[in-house]
Coordinates of all heavy atoms in Angstrom, one line a residue:
K49 N 97.7 -81.8 -155.1 CA 98.2 -80.6 -154.7 C 97.1 -79.6 -154.3 O 97.1 -78.9 -153.3 CB 99.2 -80.0 -155.8 CG 100.4 -80.8 -156.1 CD 101.1 -80.3 -157.3 CE 102.2 -81.1 -157.8 NZ 102.8 -80.8 -159.0
L52 N 95.7 -80.8 -150.9 CA 96.7 -80.4 -149.8 C 96.6 -78.9 -149.6 O 96.7 -78.5 -148.4 CB 98.1 -80.9 -150.2 CG 98.3 -82.4 -150.0 CD1 99.7 -82.8 -150.6 CD2 98.2 -82.9 -148.6
F56 N 95.5 -77.6 -145.8 CA 96.5 -76.8 -145.0 C 95.8 -75.4 -144.8 O 96.0 -74.8 -143.7 CB 97.8 -76.7 -145.7 CG 98.7 -77.8 -145.3 CD1 98.7 -79.1 -146.0 CD2 99.6 -77.8 -144.2 CE1 99.5 -80.1 -145.6 CE2 100.4 -78.8 -143.9 CZ 100.4 -80.0 -144.5
L80 N 102.4 -70.7 -140.8 CA 103.1 -71.9 -141.4 C 102.2 -72.7 -142.3 O 102.6 -73.0 -143.5 CB 103.6 -72.7 -140.2 CG 104.7 -73.9 -140.6 CD1 105.9 -73.2 -141.4 CD2 105.1 -74.6 -139.5
I83 N 101.3 -70.7 -145.4 CA 102.4 -70.7 -146.4 C 102.6 -72.1 -147.1 O 102.8 -72.2 -148.3 CB 103.8 -70.5 -145.6 CG1 103.8 -69.0 -145.2 CG2 105.0 -70.9 -146.5 CD1 104.9 -68.8 -144.2
V84 N 102.4 -73.2 -146.4 CA 102.5 -74.6 -147.1 C 101.3 -74.6 -148.0 O 101.4 -75.2 -149.2 CB 102.3 -75.7 -146.0 CG1 102.2 -77.0 -146.7 CG2 103.6 -75.6 -145.1
A85 N 100.1 -74.1 -147.7 CA 99.0 -74.1 -148.6 C 99.3 -73.5 -149.9 O 98.9 -73.8 -151.0 CB 97.7 -73.5 -148.0
I86 N 99.9 -72.2 -149.7 CA 100.3 -71.4 -151.0 C 101.3 -72.1 -151.8 O 101.3 -72.2 -153.1 CB 100.8 -70.1 -150.5 CG1 99.7 -69.3 -150.0 CG2 101.5 -69.3 -151.7 CD1 100.2 -67.9 -149.3
L87 N 102.3 -72.7 -151.2 CA 103.4 -73.5 -151.9 C 102.8 -74.6 -152.7 O 103.2 -74.9 -153.8 CB 104.4 -73.9 -150.9 CG 105.4 -72.8 -150.3 CD1 106.3 -73.5 -149.2 CD2 106.1 -72.1 -151.4
F88 N 101.8 -75.4 -152.1 CA 101.3 -76.6 -152.9 C 100.4 -76.0 -154.0 O 100.4 -76.6 -155.1 CB 100.3 -77.4 -152.0 CG 101.1 -78.5 -151.1 CD1 101.1 -78.5 -149.8 CD2 101.8 -79.4 -151.9 CE1 101.7 -79.5 -149.2 CE2 102.5 -80.4 -151.2 CZ 102.4 -80.5 -149.8
A89 N 99.7 -74.9 -153.8 CA 99.0 -74.3 -154.9 C 99.8 -73.8 -156.1 O 99.5 -74.0 -157.3 CB 98.1 -73.1 -154.4
V90 N 100.9 -73.2 -155.7 CA 101.8 -72.7 -156.7 C 102.4 -73.9 -157.5 O 102.7 -73.8 -158.8 CB 103.0 -71.9 -156.1 CG1 104.1 -71.6 -157.0 CG2 102.4 -70.6 -155.5
D91 N 102.7 -75.0 -156.9 CA 103.3 -76.2 -157.6 C 102.4 -76.8 -158.5 O 102.8 -77.6 -159.4 CB 103.8 -77.3 -156.5 CG 104.8 -78.1 -157.0 OD1 106.1 -77.6 -157.0 OD2 104.5 -79.2 -157.6
I92 N 101.0 -76.5 -158.5 CA 100.2 -76.9 -159.7 C 100.7 -76.4 -161.0 O 100.6 -77.0 -162.0 CB 98.7 -76.5 -159.4 CG1 98.2 -77.2 -158.1 CG2 97.8 -76.8 -160.6 CD1 96.8 -76.8 -157.7
T94 N 104.0 -74.8 -161.3 CA 105.5 -75.0 -161.5 C 105.9 -76.6 -161.7 O 107.0 -76.8 -162.3 CB 106.3 -74.4 -160.3 OG1 105.9 -75.1 -159.1 CG2 106.1 -72.9 -160.1
K96 N 107.0 -79.0 -159.8 CA 108.2 -79.5 -159.1 C 108.0 -80.8 -158.5 O 108.9 -81.7 -158.4 CB 108.9 -78.5 -158.3 CG 109.4 -77.2 -159.0 CD 110.0 -76.3 -158.1 CE 110.5 -75.0 -158.8 NZ 111.0 -74.0 -157.8
I97 N 106.7 -81.0 -158.0 CA 106.4 -82.2 -157.2 C 105.7 -83.2 -158.0 O 104.7 -82.8 -158.7 CB 105.5 -81.9 -155.9 CG1 106.3 -80.9 -155.1 CG2 105.3 -83.1 -155.1 CD1 105.4 -80.3 -153.9
F99 N 104.0 -86.6 -157.2 CA 103.7 -87.7 -156.3 C 103.7 -89.1 -156.9 O 103.1 -89.3 -157.9 CB 102.3 -87.4 -155.6 CG 102.3 -86.1 -154.9 CD1 101.4 -85.2 -155.2 CD2 103.0 -85.9 -153.7 CE1 101.3 -83.9 -154.5 CE2 103.0 -84.8 -153.0 CZ 102.1 -83.8 -153.4
T145 N 100.1 -83.1 -141.5 CA 101.4 -82.8 -141.7 C 102.2 -84.2 -142.0 O 103.1 -84.2 -142.9 CB 102.1 -82.0 -140.5 OG1 101.3 -80.9 -140.4 CG2 103.5 -81.8 -140.7
A148 N 101.4 -85.1 -145.5 CA 102.1 -84.3 -146.4 C 103.6 -84.7 -146.5 O 104.2 -84.8 -147.6 CB 101.9 -82.8 -146.2
I149 N 104.2 -84.8 -145.4 CA 105.6 -85.2 -145.3 C 105.9 -86.5 -145.9 O 106.7 -86.8 -146.7 CB 106.1 -85.2 -143.8 CG1 106.3 -83.9 -143.3 CG2 107.5 -86.0 -143.7 CD1 106.6 -83.8 -141.7
M151 N 104.1 -87.9 -148.4 CA 103.9 -87.8 -149.8 C 105.0 -87.2 -150.5 O 105.5 -87.6 -151.5 CB 102.5 -86.9 -150.0 CG 101.3 -87.6 -149.6 SD 100.9 -89.3 -150.4 CE 100.7 -88.6 -152.0
V152 N 105.6 -86.1 -149.9 CA 106.7 -85.5 -150.5 C 108.0 -86.3 -150.3 O 108.8 -86.3 -151.3 CB 107.0 -84.0 -150.0 CG1 105.8 -83.1 -150.3 CG2 107.2 -84.0 -148.5
V159 N 110.6 -83.3 -155.9 CA 109.9 -82.5 -154.9 C 110.5 -81.1 -155.0 O 111.5 -80.8 -155.6 CB 110.1 -83.0 -153.5 CG1 109.5 -84.4 -153.3 CG2 111.6 -83.1 -153.2
D160 N 109.8 -80.2 -154.3 CA 110.2 -78.8 -154.2 C 110.8 -78.7 -152.7 O 110.0 -78.8 -151.8 CB 109.1 -77.8 -154.4 CG 109.4 -76.4 -154.3 OD1 110.6 -76.1 -153.9 OD2 108.6 -75.5 -154.6
R161 N 112.0 -78.4 -152.6 CA 112.7 -78.3 -151.3 C 111.9 -77.1 -150.4 O 111.9 -77.4 -149.2 CB 114.1 -77.9 -151.4 CG 114.9 -79.1 -151.9 CD 116.5 -78.9 -151.9 NE 116.9 -77.8 -152.7 CZ 118.1 -77.5 -153.0 NH1 119.1 -78.3 -152.5 NH2 118.5 -76.5 -153.7
K162 N 111.4 -76.1 -151.0 CA 110.7 -75.2 -150.1 C 109.5 -75.7 -149.4 O 109.2 -75.4 -148.3 CB 110.2 -73.9 -151.0 CG 111.3 -73.2 -151.6 CD 110.9 -71.9 -152.3 CE 109.9 -72.2 -153.5 NZ 110.6 -72.9 -154.6
V163 N 108.7 -76.5 -150.1 CA 107.6 -77.1 -149.4 C 108.1 -78.1 -148.4 O 107.5 -78.2 -147.3 CB 106.8 -77.9 -150.5 CG1 105.6 -78.7 -149.9 CG2 106.2 -77.1 -151.6
Y164 N 109.0 -79.0 -148.7 CA 109.6 -79.9 -147.8 C 109.9 -79.3 -146.5 O 109.7 -79.6 -145.4 CB 110.7 -80.6 -148.4 CG 111.0 -82.0 -148.0 CD1 111.2 -83.1 -148.9 CD2 110.9 -82.5 -146.7 CE1 111.4 -84.3 -148.6 CE2 111.1 -83.7 -146.3 CZ 111.4 -84.7 -147.3 OH 111.6 -86.0 -147.0
V165 N 110.9 -78.2 -146.6 CA 111.3 -77.5 -145.5 C 110.3 -76.8 -144.7 O 110.3 -76.8 -143.5 CB 112.4 -76.4 -145.9 CG1 112.8 -75.6 -144.7 CG2 113.6 -77.2 -146.5
A166 N 109.3 -76.3 -145.3 CA 108.1 -75.6 -144.6 C 107.3 -76.7 -143.8 O 106.7 -76.2 -142.8 CB 107.2 -74.9 -145.6
L167 N 107.3 -77.8 -144.1 CA 106.5 -78.8 -143.4 C 107.2 -79.3 -142.2 O 106.6 -79.7 -141.2 CB 106.3 -80.2 -144.2 CG 105.4 -80.0 -145.4 CD1 105.4 -81.1 -146.4 CD2 103.9 -79.8 -144.9
L168 N 108.5 -79.3 -142.1 CA 109.3 -79.8 -140.9 C 109.2 -79.2 -139.6 O 109.2 -79.8 -138.5 CB 110.8 -80.0 -141.4 CG 111.0 -81.0 -142.5 CD1 112.5 -81.0 -142.8 CD2 110.5 -82.4 -142.1
P169 N 109.1 -77.7 -139.6 CA 108.9 -77.1 -138.2 C 107.8 -77.7 -137.4 O 107.9 -77.9 -136.2 CB 108.8 -75.7 -138.6 CG 109.5 -75.5 -139.8 CD 109.2 -76.8 -140.7
L201 N 115.5 -86.0 -146.7 CA 115.7 -84.7 -147.3 C 117.2 -84.3 -147.3 O 117.8 -84.0 -148.3 CB 114.9 -83.6 -146.6 CG 115.2 -82.1 -147.1 CD1 114.8 -82.0 -148.5 CD2 114.5 -81.2 -146.2
Q212 N 115.9 -79.8 -159.6 CA 115.2 -78.5 -159.7 C 115.8 -77.6 -160.7 O 115.1 -76.9 -161.4 CB 115.0 -77.9 -158.3 CG 114.0 -78.5 -157.4 CD 113.8 -77.8 -156.1 OE1 113.2 -78.4 -155.1 NE2 114.2 -76.6 -156.1

Side-chain angles (χ1 to χ4, degrees):
K49 292 169 192 176
L52 286 169
F56 272 86
L80 190 60
I83 287 170
V84 172
I86 292 170
L87 290 174
F88 274 124
V90 169
D91 204 80
I92 294 173
T94 58
K96 293 179 181 178
I97 303 172
F99 295 118
T145 301
I149 288 173
M151 296 300 295
V152 296
V159 295
D160 182 354
R161 290 187 298 193
K162 295 189 298 296
V163 178
Y164 211 135
V165 170
L167 288 167
L168 293 176
L201 173 63
Q212 287 187 194

